[in-house]
């Protein structure tokens, strides 16, 4: 139109077949889930009293001589609760006192026994392992209350080969399937507090991640009664009953043979129960007894044995239990050799 008129004429065609210039679609949800960085409770854990071997590994020789025989220490074991857990702090107390910082720890490799094993077994398959790639042959592990020496581990088959009854322990008559094994060397939580024999300590573990530490009120509390473990003489090894290892039945008198063990001479070595005599430690004697399995009545006993043999005579026929342990200055070994079998008269 003309310049003096404010009107514009437009001819328009609607393209009903064209695509919009802008296309809007809902965003796809992300496939990656951020990891949970919150500290978690160490649900699988254990308290143990420190052995003499543990002290030898932790304390220099000069200060080791200053350790009082009545002193006791606690160590902790814990399985890594999450992949982002870095370690844990240890807090402890006695009685109703306030919890105080008592050290720190790294998470321990651990697994379960796939099958039951008797006292002669030297291999076992593991299941539900955690951190097994960290296990090194020649180090110690704990099955139930028995310390063993790791001789080999096959990660592909999850098979462990080990030496039985090391340090101050003896081969257990049986470990049932599902018993937990802890690999302890370098993975014991270090509690530097010194306690006394007969005291009960309470401990809680506070795992931490890069985001912080578990709140103390969320940590379960475990207790341990000290038995003076580190000062006790080692139990005898290599037990033979009527010239056999772990017999199922015996005819006639019960004849025992064993090997000496020496807490001081063995130091940090892992001497298993099958090895020859070491020592004995000065002042150590042995005691042995034969019990009825049904009533625990004593059938025969001997004390203050200086050598490595004893004979227990009885006319009782049936299932019996033999026990053998060491004694020094009235203090008994942490564990006893113990075996159950059937005894018959000739």
């Amino acid at each position: 139109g003309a310049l003096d008129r404010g009107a514009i004429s437009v001819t328009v065609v609607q393209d009903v077949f064209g695509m919009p210039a802008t296309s809007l679609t809902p965003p796809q949800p992300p496939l990656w889930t951020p990891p949970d960085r919150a500290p978690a409770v160490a649900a699988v854990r254990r308290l143990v009293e420190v052995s003499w071997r543990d002290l030898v590994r932790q304390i220099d020789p000069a200060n080791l001589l200053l350790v009082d025989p009545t002193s006791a220490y606690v160590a902790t074991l814990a399985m890594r609760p999450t992949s982002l857990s870095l370690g844990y702090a240890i807090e402890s107390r006695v009685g109703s006192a306030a919890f105080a910082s008592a050290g720190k720890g790294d998470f321990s490799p651990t697994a379960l026994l796939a099958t039951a094993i008797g006292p002669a077994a030297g291999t076992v398959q593991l299941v539900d392992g955690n951190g097994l790639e960290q296990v090194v042959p020649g180090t110690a592990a704990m099955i139930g209350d028995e310390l063993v020496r790791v001789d080999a581990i096959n990660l592909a088959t999850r098979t462990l080969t080990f030496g039985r009854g090391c340090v101050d322990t003896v081969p257990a008559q049986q470990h049932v399937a599902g018993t937990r094994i802890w690999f302890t060397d370098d993975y014991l939580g270090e509690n530097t507090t010194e306690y006394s024999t007969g005291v009960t300590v309470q401990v809680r573990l506070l795992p931490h991640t890069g985001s912080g530490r578990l709140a103390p009120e969320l940590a379960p509390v475990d207790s341990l009664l000290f038995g003076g473990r580190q000062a006790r003489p080692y139990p005898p090894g290599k037990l033979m009953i009527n010239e056999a290892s772990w017999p199922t039945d015996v005819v006639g008198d019960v004849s025992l043979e064993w090997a000496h063990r020496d807490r001081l001479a063995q130091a940090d070595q892992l001497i298993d129960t099958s090895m020859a005599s070491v020592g004995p430690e000065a002042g150590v004697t042995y005691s042995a007894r034969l019990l009825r399995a049904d009533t625990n009545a004593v059938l025969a006993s001997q004390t203050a044995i200086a050598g490595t043999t004893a004979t227990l005579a009885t006319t009782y026929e049936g299932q019996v239990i033999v026990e053998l342990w060491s004694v020094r200055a009235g203090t008994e070994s942490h564990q006893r050799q113990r075996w159950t079998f059937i005894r018959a008269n000739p």
Side-chain angles (χ1 to χ4, degrees), residues 28-88:
Q28 295 294 319
L31 299 179
W32 178 74
T33 301
D36 185 1
R37 300 181 181 274
V41 169
V44 181
R45 63 193 183 277
R46 182 173 179 180
L47 302 182
V48 293
E49 186 173 353
V50 167
S51 70
W52 177 256
R53 177 178 180 267
D54 297 325
L55 292 183
V56 172
R57 287 168 50 83
Q58 297 171 6
I59 303 177
D60 63 88
N63 287 316
L64 191 63
L65 297 175
L66 303 178
V67 175
D68 191 275
T70 64
S71 296
Y73 304 85
V74 63
T76 58
L77 292 162
M79 185 176 76
R80 190 182 304 276
T82 69
S83 61
L84 296 181
S85 298
L86 302 176
Y88 58 88

Side-chain angles (χ1 to χ4, degrees), residues 233-263:
Y234 281 3
K238 202 174 183 178
L239 175 63
M240 304 286 286
I241 303 173
N242 288 45
E243 301 183 346
S245 297
W246 322 119
T248 56
D249 55 80
V250 167
V251 176
D253 294 341
V254 178
S255 175
L256 306 179
E257 298 179 55
W258 60 88
H260 292 304
R261 291 292 180 261
D262 190 324
R263 177 179 63 104

Side-chain angles (χ1 to χ4, degrees), residues 217-236:
E217 60 271 17
L218 299 180
V221 177
D222 300 312
S223 300
L224 178 70
L225 172 64
F226 293 111
R229 178 176 182 174
Q230 59 88 11
R232 293 181 178 273
Y234 281 3

Side-chain angles (χ1 to χ4, degrees), residues 41-269:
V41 169
V44 181
R45 63 193 183 277
R46 182 173 179 180
L47 302 182
V48 293
E49 186 173 353
V50 167
S51 70
W52 177 256
R53 177 178 180 267
D54 297 325
L55 292 183
V56 172
R57 287 168 50 83
Q58 297 171 6
I59 303 177
D60 63 88
N63 287 316
L64 191 63
L65 297 175
L66 303 178
V67 175
D68 191 275
T70 64
S71 296
Y73 304 85
V74 63
T76 58
L77 292 162
M79 185 176 76
R80 190 182 304 276
T82 69
S83 61
L84 296 181
S85 298
L86 302 176
Y88 58 88
I90 303 170
E91 293 186 344
S92 65
R93 71 177 181 183
V94 174
S96 60
F99 277 98
S101 176
K104 60 183 180 179
D106 292 325
F107 296 109
S108 171
T110 183
L112 303 177
L113 303 188
T115 59
I117 58 173
T123 60
V124 71
Q125 192 168 24
L126 307 177
V127 294
D128 295 337
N130 187 299
L132 296 182
E133 67 281 355
Q134 300 170 269
V135 177
V136 177
T139 57
M142 184 169 61
I143 306 175
D145 292 324
E146 178 188 349
L147 286 170
V148 301
R149 183 190 61 247
V150 176
D151 292 331
I153 184 168
N154 187 319
L155 296 179
T157 62
R158 294 292 193 268
T159 301
L160 179 74
T161 304
F162 53 97
R164 302 294 301 268
C166 297
V167 193
D168 56 357
T169 68
V170 301
Q173 188 155 339
Q174 185 185 54
H175 292 297
V176 300
T179 300
R180 182 163 296 279
I181 178 170
W182 294 97
F183 297 89
T184 59
D185 277 6
D186 302 323
Y187 300 104
L188 283 172
E190 298 179 1
N191 185 330
T192 56
T193 306
E194 181 179 0
Y195 302 93
S196 297
T197 300
V199 168
T200 297
V201 64
Q202 294 180 318
V203 177
R204 63 187 182 189
L205 308 183
L206 308 179
H208 61 87
T209 67
S211 297
R213 178 184 294 180
L214 182 73
E217 60 271 17
L218 299 180
V221 177
D222 300 312
S223 300
L224 178 70
L225 172 64
F226 293 111
R229 178 176 182 174
Q230 59 88 11
R232 293 181 178 273
Y234 281 3
K238 202 174 183 178
L239 175 63
M240 304 286 286
I241 303 173
N242 288 45
E243 301 183 346
S245 297
W246 322 119
T248 56
D249 55 80
V250 167
V251 176
D253 294 341
V254 178
S255 175
L256 306 179
E257 298 179 55
W258 60 88
H260 292 304
R261 291 292 180 261
D262 190 324
R263 177 179 63 104
L264 302 179
Q266 290 177 219
D268 62 348
Q269 300 178 67

